[in-house]
Amino acid sequence: MRKRARITEPKNEFDAEDYISTLPDDILVTILSGLTLKEAAVTSILSRRWRYLWTHVAGLDFDANDTLDRIAADPRLRRSERPKYINWVNRVLRQHRGPTLDAVRICFDLDKSSKSAIDNWVKFAIAKRVQRLELDLLENGETLRQPMRNYTFPYKHLSQSKGSSLKNVYSNFALMQSSMSTGLKCLKALSLKCVNVSEEALDCFLSSCPVLQYLSIHGSGDLKNVKVSGLTLMLKYLEIVFCLGIDTIEISNVNLVSFSYLGPGINLIISNVPMLDEISIGEGYSGLENNVFGQLSCCLYQLEVLTLDIYRPEENIKIFAFPVLPNLKQLILKVGAWDDDSLLEFTSLIKACPNLNRFVLQLIWMSPSKRRRKMRQADKCAHENLKLVEIVGYYGRTSDAELAMYFIENAVSLQKIVIDPRNQILERSPVGIAQIKREESARRRARKQLESKKPPGVQLMIL
């Protein structure tokens, strides 16, 4: 048998591996920062030079999506997987040698039983002058838990340290202890899910983090009254979701750009917010019953992007006289898909947005069903600036089709209709065969209902 000829590289060609090895350490660390944390750590076996390079990366994303998927399918795994995750984070932080951190992300099913470990991680990140800190502690990695089981943010201890526990876990303890009090001054973004945040903690964020621009709080049980005020604040983005104990949110004299609230009806007071042009809001059981537009009256004329969560549209949409939104460019409606309730009532809101160029309807499947009935028509209105319409969660109901037809017939500048039949209730469990069949059926119905009706210049995209 003849031997296979060996292919040799010309001697004047550089060796890619040798070339990479000649790069400076800071460039190699930048390259490693583009890998996942586990992938970066594996490079330590390449050579003696690579052994500790990964410990200098500035972003620590402790993502464990695969494990969370398994826990969602079998919650009994939580008990054995939590210690593994905690040990992994501790091991990485113990080895980290970089002087600062751009970002730290903790993403796992952890509650107050892991308080000691999470406290140490927060203190470590702040001492490293972290710019972006995220604690995503959702139950099973996807849902809010009861607030009494939440981890509580340790704002009182960020300027002090108890010593022994941190010293045993982390290197450079002396440097860390001295940096703790100044670390908050570097924080630009803070995202907390299933973390209890008190009013005192919120005040601490606003007063002690002078460059904080993004603040997101989900599922806190300790917030009662929220006050964000002061032209010196750098805060641009504020998000408060399902913090069920809140009575009042007051926002005034601040250069906020975006505000999001989702939860029970509250006393919402907004005044003197000249930069606020994006709002996402859903109050109460049906989403509109708490005089939402009255609460937003001071900034309606400047809004460019508005997202409304409306769970039961048939219950209260008819009684609303929507105010004119003259500068609104994008309108996103998140609507409960119950039975085959007509969606044409929303056209009165769309008519109140004369400069709208993008409309998104996100249907959340509750109990959708198809009924045999004639398609209704809303009063005609020439939407002169509307170019893009997206209907997400399209089920193929008469109500879905008649709304799409409304835009085909009335949006004179329409360029594209996007139909996405996928279920919008995101879950970690695998998509079942029944759901796949339902989505395929919705795609077929969308083609049958809309393909022949659209004007020649309009693109129909079915995802």
Side-chain angles (χ1 to χ4, degrees):
M1 180 181 294
R2 295 176 60 189
K3 293 184 178 180
R4 182 179 299 174
R6 177 177 296 176
I7 300 174
T8 59
E9 295 284 346
K11 290 185 178 180
N12 61 343
E13 292 286 325
F14 66 82
D15 186 325
E17 185 175 349
D18 290 339
Y19 173 72
I20 291 176
S21 297
T22 64
L23 293 174
D25 285 357
D26 56 345
I27 294 179
L28 293 178
V29 171
T30 300
I31 294 172
L32 291 178
S33 297
L35 304 176
T36 68
L37 199 51
K38 291 182 178 180
E39 290 170 342
V42 170
T43 64
S44 64
I45 66 173
L46 293 177
S47 69
R48 184 175 298 176
R49 183 188 175 198
W50 285 81
R51 185 175 181 183
Y52 296 110
L53 279 176
W54 74 273
T55 66
H56 291 266
V57 296
L60 300 179
D61 184 353
F62 294 97
D63 182 89
N65 257 314
D66 291 342
T67 303
L68 289 172
D69 287 344
R70 291 191 286 111
I71 291 176
D74 183 3
R76 292 174 298 180
L77 293 173
R78 183 190 298 114
R79 184 173 182 179
S80 60
E81 293 297 337
R82 274 182 176 172
K84 294 179 184 177
Y85 184 87
I86 291 171
N87 289 337
W88 174 42
V89 177
N90 284 340
R91 187 166 60 251
V92 170
L93 297 190
R94 189 183 301 119
Q95 297 178 78
H96 190 265
R97 297 186 175 189
T100 61
L101 282 167
D102 292 339
V104 173
R105 177 174 179 257
I106 302 297
C107 182
F108 204 73
D109 182 340
L110 299 171
D111 57 21
K112 66 181 183 180
S113 65
S114 304
K115 174 177 172 53
S116 177
I118 304 172
D119 279 354
N120 288 340
W121 302 341
V122 170
K123 294 173 185 177
F124 180 88
I126 297 300
K128 291 274 188 173
R129 300 190 292 280
V130 69
Q131 295 183 36
R132 300 187 303 278
L133 176 61
E134 178 178 355
L135 301 181
D136 182 347
L137 311 183
L138 293 172
E139 190 166 26
N140 294 336
E142 61 181 347
T143 58
L144 296 173
R145 61 171 50 85
Q146 290 295 322
M148 65 180 64
R149 294 171 47 221
N150 282 351
Y151 164 76
T152 298
F153 196 87
Y155 74 98
K156 291 182 179 179
H157 305 296
L158 294 181
S159 60
Q160 53 184 283
S161 175
K162 293 183 179 179
S164 58
S165 61
L166 286 170
K167 189 172 183 178
N168 291 335
V169 175
Y170 308 121
S171 59
N172 299 323
F173 174 71
L175 175 63
M176 179 178 170
Q177 193 173 30
S178 64
S179 300
M180 188 76 70
S181 59
T182 60
L184 285 173
K185 295 180 180 179
C186 300
L187 192 63
K188 294 181 178 179
L190 180 62
S191 178
L192 305 172
K193 296 180 180 179
C194 286
V195 176
N196 283 339
V197 176
S198 65
E199 294 172 40
E200 293 79 8
L202 179 60
D203 290 341
C204 174
F205 301 152
L206 297 178
S207 62
S208 303
C209 306
V211 296
L212 186 67
Q213 297 180 25
Y214 177 92
L215 178 60
S216 176
I217 303 173
H218 287 226
S220 170
D222 292 348
L223 281 179
K224 300 295 181 184
N225 297 293
V226 173
K227 185 173 183 178
V228 178
S229 180
L231 293 175
T232 59
L233 294 180
M234 294 288 290
L235 193 67
K236 303 296 183 185
Y237 305 90
L238 176 63
E239 182 178 60
I240 298 177
V241 175
F242 289 124
C243 298
L244 304 183
I246 288 183
D247 295 321
T248 300
I249 296 179
E250 183 178 351
I251 302 171
S252 63
N253 303 312
V254 66
N255 289 320
L256 202 66
V257 171
S258 176
F259 170 62
S260 298
Y261 174 77
L262 185 61
I266 58 170
N267 183 26
L268 178 60
I269 305 168
I270 300 180
S271 63
N272 193 21
V273 282
M275 305 296 292
L276 186 61
D277 61 13
E278 180 174 353
I279 286 180
S280 176
I281 193 161
E283 282 194 67
Y285 176 68
S286 295
L288 286 177
E289 71 267 27
N290 199 39
N291 188 27
V292 167
F293 289 104
Q295 293 176 329
L296 303 177
S297 59
C298 83
C299 55
L300 289 179
Y301 290 95
Q302 66 199 48
L303 284 185
E304 295 187 7
V305 181
L306 175 63
T307 301
L308 292 175
D309 284 75
I310 306 172
Y311 311 121
R312 292 301 298 256
E314 281 288 300
E315 291 192 359
N316 57 12
I317 195 71
K318 293 180 181 179
I319 66 174
F320 270 85
F322 294 106
V324 175
L325 304 171
N327 288 308
L328 201 71
K329 305 297 190 300
Q330 297 185 50
L331 176 62
I332 300 102
L333 301 181
K334 299 180 180 181
V335 176
W338 299 84
D339 301 322
D340 200 356
D341 295 343
S342 176
L343 302 168
L344 290 177
E345 303 296 342
F346 291 113
T347 60
S348 57
L349 175 56
I350 299 164
K351 291 172 184 176
C353 309
N355 288 301
L356 195 69
N357 57 47
R358 177 175 179 248
F359 172 74
V360 180
L361 178 67
Q362 183 176 332
L363 295 166
I364 310 299
W365 289 354
M366 301 298 186
S367 58
S369 61
K370 305 184 190 77
R371 289 203 308 257
R372 291 199 173 200
R373 63 175 177 85
K374 290 184 178 181
M375 288 183 61
R376 293 172 48 194
Q377 284 189 325
D379 294 338
K380 290 190 176 296
C381 177
H383 299 285
E384 297 180 355
N385 296 295
L386 188 59
K387 295 179 174 61
L388 174 61
V389 171
E390 302 175 44
I391 303 180
V392 185
Y394 194 99
Y395 192 74
R397 305 174 300 169
T398 302
S399 56
D400 302 340
E402 64 190 9
L403 183 65
M405 285 303 304
Y406 170 83
F407 293 113
I408 288 174
E409 295 170 356
N410 291 276
V412 296
S413 300
L414 189 63
Q415 297 176 356
K416 182 188 289 188
I417 299 178
V418 178
I419 302 296
D420 183 352
R422 290 171 291 187
N423 190 347
Q424 295 305 294
I425 300 178
L426 300 178
E427 297 177 346
R428 287 188 172 273
S429 53
V431 177
I433 295 176
Q435 185 172 319
I436 293 173
K437 289 182 177 179
R438 186 163 55 183
E439 292 173 3
E440 283 300 323
S441 174
R443 292 184 180 96
R444 290 192 297 269
R445 289 179 66 86
R447 292 188 186 95
K448 182 179 179 180
Q449 293 165 336
L450 306 176
E451 187 70 58
S452 62
K453 305 291 179 60
K454 71 176 183 65
V458 176
Q459 179 186 1
L460 176 64
M461 181 181 292
I462 301 177
L463 302 180

